[in-house]
Amino acid sequence: MTRKSDWVLELNLQTNLFLGTPEKATEIVDYLTVFGGTFVPETFDISRRGTRPSWVSFEQNRDRAVVELSHPESPGLVARRTKPTNVDYVVASSRSLMFDWCHVSMGLGWTQKSGHLDDFVRFAKGLYAIVEASSGHIADAEHEQRFDELVHIDETGRESHIPRFREKPHLPGLFWANFFGPEYVEMWGAAFLRHAPCRRLEELSDGGMILYLSEDPFQADSGSYGEAKNRLYGY
């Protein structure tokens, strides 16, 4: 069973861009550096596919981080930090798939402290703008499951995620904060989204929107939170 201390708040962003160009890789690495504080990785992995991880200092090797993100034999930038909370970063750049993505997860307990959730959302909105995300979400990873995959736990307790839809892009579900890029806003209509049954809606400078399900994501295991999500699904 997962311990409460292990629960994380996660950001996932999907983009139609290829993030592996040197220019875009530099922009992403610079953003992590300039945002500062807990959002700066301590180390990142310089190993290649099929080899054991090899972690080096992010601060001392930022140029190498750009190379890793833009190298054709690298899966992207895989980074982490451990203080004051555990943070994991994946910026995936693929030359074989159309859609690249970013993932950042952070200890849920840390984000509950004063001002930290606001910092996480501000960081997410900045990264959304840089990668020109088409969609994304912020979620309590323990209690907000994707509907586009099945979770299988084997006899050893190891968890695996099996995709339900392999052939076309799709939204993975609804979560605490739901990022809809301009193309989704255009598809559904801004007026339709503005009237969605959510706690709050934020309009972004690129024409995208964020729908917040509740005041914060920390009650995702409650009945009222589930009811609010069902109302949004029903809409």
Side-chain angles (χ1 to χ4, degrees):
M1 182 175 180
T2 306
R3 297 173 302 168
K4 192 168 185 177
S5 59
D6 294 329
W7 294 352
V8 298
L9 193 67
E10 65 177 15
L11 164 69
N12 289 289
L13 296 172
Q14 196 88 10
T15 178
N16 299 334
L17 292 184
F18 172 53
L19 300 179
T21 66
E23 296 78 14
K24 186 56 67 175
T26 299
E27 194 175 359
I28 292 169
V29 169
D30 286 349
Y31 178 69
L32 295 176
T33 303
V34 171
F35 197 93
T38 309
F39 296 89
V40 182
E42 292 172 339
T43 59
F44 65 97
D45 183 16
I46 61 171
S47 65
R48 294 289 177 252
R49 288 186 175 89
T51 63
R52 297 182 63 181
S54 178
W55 300 92
V56 299
S57 166
F58 180 85
E59 182 179 358
Q60 298 173 13
N61 298 278
R62 287 197 292 268
D63 289 344
R64 179 64 184 271
V66 171
V67 171
E68 291 303 308
L69 183 48
S70 57
H71 196 285
E73 294 181 10
S74 171
L77 180 64
V78 178
R80 66 186 182 187
R81 71 174 296 127
T82 59
K83 296 179 180 179
T85 185
N86 290 330
V87 187
D88 291 309
Y89 316 73
V90 179
V91 181
S93 56
S94 171
R95 286 161 175 79
S96 60
L97 298 174
M98 181 178 175
F99 302 98
D100 286 356
W101 51 272
C102 303
H103 168 90
V104 179
S105 63
M106 184 171 287
L108 190 67
W110 185 89
T111 62
Q112 291 177 307
K113 297 179 180 179
S114 178
H116 290 180
L117 179 60
D118 290 340
D119 290 341
F120 191 89
V121 172
R122 185 164 56 89
F123 171 82
K125 290 191 289 186
L127 190 58
Y128 162 94
I130 287 172
V131 304
E132 300 177 39
S134 57
S135 64
H137 62 265
I138 298 173
D140 173 345
E142 177 68 15
H143 296 106
E144 298 197 82
Q145 303 299 320
R146 300 168 63 114
F147 74 71
D148 64 341
E149 62 183 19
L150 299 172
V151 179
H152 172 72
I153 301 176
D154 65 20
E155 62 276 5
T156 68
R158 179 174 297 177
E159 185 176 292
S160 60
H161 297 257
I162 305 168
R164 287 180 174 177
F165 316 115
R166 296 179 181 272
E167 303 202 353
K168 59 182 180 179
H170 54 271
L171 293 175
L174 294 171
F175 306 91
W176 173 66
N178 303 276
F179 290 74
F180 299 112
E183 60 261 52
Y184 281 106
V185 173
E186 181 178 357
M187 180 179 72
W188 280 316
F192 175 81
L193 291 173
R194 289 190 186 107
H195 288 90
C198 60
R199 176 75 180 206
R200 179 165 62 93
L201 181 144
E202 182 176 356
E203 301 199 26
L204 303 172
S205 60
D206 67 345
M209 294 182 178
I210 308 174
L211 272 64
Y212 297 90
L213 188 65
S214 66
E215 189 63 28
D216 62 57
F218 306 131
Q219 305 300 322
D221 59 342
S222 69
S224 59
Y225 191 94
E227 291 169 3
K229 184 174 289 190
N230 287 336
R231 283 194 296 273
L232 189 53
Y233 270 122
Y235 182 75

